[in-house]
Amino acid sequence: QVQLVQSGAEVKKPGASVKVSCKTSGYTFISYHIHWVRQAPGQGLEWMGIIKPSSGIISYAQKFRGRVTMTRDTSTSTVYMELSSLTSEDMAVYYCARERDSWYYFDYWGQGTLVTVSS
Amino acid sequence: QSALTQPPSASGSPGQSVTISCTGTSSDVGGYNYVSWYQQHPGKAPKLMIYEVSKRPSGVPDRFSGSKSGNTASLTVSGLQAEDEADYYCNSYAGSNGYVFGTGTKVTVL
């Protein structure tokens, strides 16, 4: 069965970076894109960007450009999202989600990773 | 890219219908037939309910339906059931701007 399993909760200090992983299984890794979406406490969903594992092509939401890096490891079918220069506003649950090329929707989601930013 | 506009809340009694709107612009909702809807229960990951404006994934009850007119998409839940109580988010492809979510609507079953 399709699974997207994310790494565990993180606690970071302001100014630090966090790297969240999303390990996929149950499907052909390079056939689907991975998106990252975050949700601040009590707030809505926010799209951060997409990585295409087949090519490594990346597109980030303008808000996060310069601060986010998405990478993939095809040998382990894992995608990573690193966010730098963390502030309290980055405290959120971060989700990875799958999209088949040109489907334009997210059919499977990871369980979410809580990132806490606190001094 | 501004979030799509949804009403903060909607409610209905069991068996009734509720409709949630999702208003964007010609650069997102109005420009593409790539609107999807997600249901999110507290503490859980979102779940796909509708894609490409009005299509239902396998396993989603036919009580859920979607439509679009101009820059506004809508999700209707007919025959409300207790388990439909959740937050609902629309999403639209926005071309070179990627994707944009709606502000979210909390549906309460009275």
Side-chain angles (χ1 to χ4, degrees), chain A residues 14-74:
Chain A
S17 297
V18 68
K19 191 171 187 176
V20 180
S21 67
C22 173
K23 183 170 177 57
T24 72
S25 61
Y27 71 94
T28 303
F29 179 62
I30 60 172
S31 295
Y32 290 79
H33 311 326
I34 294 292
H35 296 255
W36 288 91
V37 175
R38 76 176 186 180
Q39 185 171 36
Q43 302 301 308
L45 301 171
E46 182 175 32
W47 183 79
M48 298 180 68
I50 175 179
I51 182 167
K52 303 183 180 183
S54 59
S55 61
I57 290 176
I58 311 159
S59 179
Y60 302 136
Q62 188 165 5
K63 174 178 179 177
F64 299 101
R65 288 174 196 163
R67 218 163 54 92
V68 70
T69 303
M70 297 177 189
T71 56
R72 93 287 195 209
D73 182 344
T74 55

Side-chain angles (χ1 to χ4, degrees), chain A residues 69-112:
Chain A
T69 303
M70 297 177 189
T71 56
R72 93 287 195 209
D73 182 344
T74 55
S75 68
T76 59
S77 300
T78 302
V79 172
Y80 300 90
M81 186 284 299
E82 184 171 22
L83 188 63
S84 62
S85 303
L86 293 171
T87 71
S88 58
E89 295 189 350
D90 295 315
M91 197 168 341
V93 175
Y94 289 76
Y95 294 101
C96 58
R98 188 187 82 159
E99 176 218 349
R100 183 137 194 168
D101 185 38
S102 299
W103 276 8
Y104 303 104
Y105 59 88
F106 319 125
D107 63 343
Y108 280 89
W109 294 65
Q111 83 276 19

Side-chain angles (χ1 to χ4, degrees), chain A residues 39 95 99 104-106 110, chain B residues 34 38 40 44 51 89 99:
Chain A
Q39 185 171 36
Y95 294 101
E99 176 218 349
Y104 303 104
Y105 59 88
F106 319 125
Chain B
Y34 296 130
Y38 301 86
Q40 187 180 35
K44 300 295 187 182
Y51 66 97
Y89 294 92
Y99 294 77

